[in-house]
Amino acid sequence: MTLTVVAECLAAPGREDRLRTALEAMIEPSLDEPGCLAYRPYTDPDDGARMVIVEEWTDPQALAEHFTTAHFRHVKEVLDLILAEPMTIRRLVAAPSA
């Protein structure tokens, strides 16, 4: 069963462009990971400081491995400096059929 991840970020005032570039820099290396099926950042059209990343992973282990990569560790350091609040990460699986 695949794992969908929704990560929400809020840039500190004046750091919106840095947030966007940091998240965009994660696309290619994340998609190159063996367990990554999708990785796409989105911007809130009503609040340019708010971004959401929607990811899909083959399984929880693939996501755990993602968190150990050099590109994730780097972006985490950047986000720690530019976010107004801690990033929220939600892990989701498909709802069971009725």
Side-chain angles (χ1 to χ4, degrees):
M1 177 180 301
T2 63
L3 179 67
T4 299
V5 174
V6 178
E8 298 180 42
C9 301
L10 179 65
R15 306 300 267 164
E16 299 86 356
D17 286 343
R18 184 64 184 105
L19 174 59
R20 189 178 63 255
T21 59
L23 296 180
E24 288 173 351
M26 288 289 291
I27 297 170
E28 188 174 329
S30 296
L31 289 172
D32 285 344
E33 293 178 51
C36 185
L37 303 172
Y39 189 98
R40 185 161 184 183
Y42 295 86
T43 302
D44 183 331
D46 298 320
D47 181 358
R50 187 168 302 280
M51 293 192 70
V52 174
I53 308 97
V54 179
E55 311 167 28
E56 187 174 4
W57 298 89
T58 54
D59 55 42
Q61 182 60 37
L63 178 62
E65 290 174 14
H66 170 67
F67 291 145
T68 69
T69 63
H71 56 274
F72 182 84
R73 288 193 315 270
H74 172 74
V75 81
K76 183 176 180 335
E77 290 176 7
V78 171
L79 295 179
D80 286 345
L81 298 173
I82 64 173
L83 292 183
E85 59 190 38
M87 177 171 47
T88 302
I89 299 175
R90 290 185 176 85
R91 293 165 179 85
L92 308 167
V93 295
S97 301

